[in-house]
Amino acid sequence: MTEIMLWKRLDLPGHEIARFDAVDNGWKLSGTAIFADPQGPCKLDYLVICDPAWRTSLAQVRGLAAGRDIDLTASVDAERTWRLNGSECPAVKGCVDIDLGFSPSTNLLPIRRIELAVGEKAEVRAA
């Protein structure tokens, strides 16, 4: 299964393309967002890996944002301890999902994991 999505940003000039793939050990979400931030142009490539239960295990973001090089890797272990570029992030311990604030694509992860019926709500806390 492969799904490809294209979004036009409404809050800032920009677009994003995302690809969602079923892989042997879970799910892979990858894409590129290009947008005009008030601090300067941005191009961010991302990769998110989830296990078969839709729990994030790895996220990478690389690119250029407002004139700065970006190279971030977030990982999470079986105890849901998150690390950013190898350093532990206790503020998000226990989180199941990653939320890439510049992209709507990561909103899909808890939606698929929780499997809400139409009209149902759930609260999620994301790293």
Side-chain angles (χ1 to χ4, degrees):
M1 175 191 98
T2 297
E3 295 180 42
I4 299 174
M5 298 149 279
L6 179 66
W7 289 284
K8 178 181 177 185
R9 288 189 69 137
L10 300 177
D11 60 334
L12 300 168
H15 289 82
E16 178 176 346
I17 187 168
R19 180 179 173 143
F20 189 67
D21 294 292
V23 293
D24 290 340
N25 57 346
W27 306 96
K28 179 175 83 169
L29 174 63
S30 59
T32 300
I34 299 174
F35 55 98
D37 186 80
Q39 297 177 4
C42 299
K43 178 197 176 274
L44 298 171
D45 300 307
Y46 60 87
L47 169 70
V48 178
I49 303 295
C50 295
D51 69 13
W54 299 93
R55 295 176 301 218
T56 301
S57 57
L58 177 78
Q60 296 176 324
V61 178
R62 293 191 172 101
L64 180 69
R68 296 180 301 138
D69 289 325
I70 304 295
D71 188 359
L72 302 170
T73 299
S75 61
V76 60
D77 61 24
E79 289 76 38
R80 308 311 299 166
T81 300
W82 288 80
R83 289 180 174 69
L84 180 61
N85 291 341
S87 297
E88 191 172 328
C89 299
V92 294
K93 182 172 178 60
C95 288
V96 176
D97 306 301
I98 188 88
D99 182 7
L100 302 179
F102 62 87
S103 170
S105 65
T106 50
N107 295 338
L108 179 68
L109 305 177
I111 291 169
R112 293 279 175 106
R113 181 173 46 77
I114 297 171
E115 297 180 352
L116 296 175
V118 174
E120 280 188 302
K121 293 191 245 180
E123 193 170 310
V124 295
R125 187 172 156 255

